[in-house]
Amino acid sequence: MNEPPPTRQWRVPAGLPAAKLAGAVLLVALGLLLADGDPVRLVVAALAAAALAGWAVRDLVAPVRLTVATAGLTVIHGFAGRRLLPWSAVEAITVDRRPRLGLTSETLEIDAGDSLHLFGRYDLGSTPEEVAAALRAARPNP
């Protein structure tokens, strides 16, 4: 009886949702502190905090962003959905590097023909280069 090879997952680092929620609380506190009777400042701070909290909730509800298995790749789709990309649909796995303000950002790009899936370091909990190498190694030869 042959067992299928184990899958590998990449997920949001555990402390990131907590940091986002703390940032949301800080935004509300700053909004209350600096509103100075201006309701617009408070509303803007509350909206920014709600957006940050929503982003944190996504990290808590769907922490796994990418999974590799024999059948293909499972990527996050929408707010917290999943989408299976069979290996036959994956056209390219690349890492895009862009210098900006003296720093270089890296993004893992998975081109599936009709869709492009982008993942950063904080989506994966690893560098995009390491994940790309693991995906290429896991990909069956055509």
Side-chain angles (χ1 to χ4, degrees):
M1 177 174 175
N2 288 338
E3 292 184 27
T7 61
R8 183 153 181 213
Q9 298 178 335
W10 289 272
R11 59 181 43 237
V12 172
L16 194 57
K20 289 176 185 176
L21 289 172
V25 169
L26 182 64
L27 280 172
V28 169
L30 284 173
L32 289 170
L33 187 66
L34 301 175
D36 200 28
D38 183 6
V40 173
R41 290 182 188 174
L42 186 56
V43 168
V44 168
L47 288 174
L52 193 55
W55 194 15
V57 167
R58 179 184 189 220
D59 291 348
L60 293 170
V61 171
V64 176
R65 296 292 197 250
L66 176 64
T67 303
V68 62
T70 307
L73 304 175
T74 302
V75 297
I76 192 153
H77 184 69
F79 186 77
R82 302 251 173 255
R83 180 176 176 199
L84 175 64
L85 302 174
W87 285 115
S88 60
V90 177
E91 294 178 7
I93 298 169
T94 58
V95 176
D96 181 43
R97 288 180 191 80
R98 294 184 187 248
R100 177 181 253 174
L101 302 173
L103 300 172
T104 301
S105 67
E106 290 185 340
T107 304
L108 174 66
E109 296 181 356
I110 300 172
D111 184 356
D114 63 341
S115 60
L116 181 65
H117 304 275
L118 307 172
F119 301 94
R121 177 178 180 78
Y122 294 110
D123 287 318
L124 302 168
S126 276
T127 66
E129 189 62 48
E130 292 170 349
V131 176
L135 295 179
R136 289 184 197 115
R139 186 176 192 158
N141 294 330

